Amino acid sequence: MLWLEDYLNNWKKTVIIVSHARDFLDAVVTDIVHMQNKKLTRYKGDYTNFEERRALEAEQREKAIENQEKQLAHMQSFVDRFGASAARASMAQSRLK
């Protein structure tokens, strides 16, 4: 395994590696291309860096979804409060759209 790591680290061309050995991937890879939902995403760095960035991106997506849900709930409460009011009915309908 050490010989293969050394050989691949000195290799000057592109190599595609599929492996489940995380230590091996950390020692050899410089870029990772991740495929999910028919979309390719390129990450610079080793496998540990890839895992950290994916976890951070997932956390950011969850926060964005939560914020969007809060905003929708706030707008819905506005529409519920002022939907019947003549003065703000048009504003409530606009927000409902």
Side-chain angles (χ1 to χ4, degrees):
M1 193 72 144
L2 293 174
W3 175 86
L4 182 59
E5 285 179 17
D6 186 50
Y7 181 79
L8 291 175
N9 281 329
N10 292 322
W11 188 263
K12 301 297 182 206
K13 298 179 182 177
T14 302
V15 176
I16 296 175
I17 299 173
V18 178
S19 175
H20 294 280
R22 293 177 183 211
D23 293 334
F24 175 72
L25 291 173
D26 278 342
V28 175
V29 301
T30 59
D31 296 273
I32 293 180
V33 178
H34 182 253
M35 184 173 146
Q36 185 175 12
N37 299 329
K38 299 180 183 179
K39 181 180 176 187
L40 296 175
T41 307
R42 182 178 176 203
Y43 295 90
K44 296 288 275 175
D46 59 13
Y47 188 77
T48 302
N49 184 29
F50 162 73
E51 282 186 320
E52 291 170 357
R53 288 185 55 199
R54 290 264 305 145
L56 180 64
E57 288 173 359
E59 185 179 317
Q60 289 173 345
R61 272 193 307 274
E62 288 178 23
K63 285 182 181 179
I65 290 170
E66 287 176 12
N67 288 338
Q68 185 178 23
E69 288 174 353
K70 285 179 185 177
Q71 186 178 18
L72 288 172
H74 177 70
M75 285 188 184
Q76 185 62 46
S77 70
F78 180 85
V79 169
D80 293 342
R81 279 186 288 151
F82 298 113
S85 171
R88 298 203 182 187
S90 64
M91 189 185 308
Q93 289 301 317
S94 174
R95 289 192 183 186
L96 184 60
K97 288 180 185 177

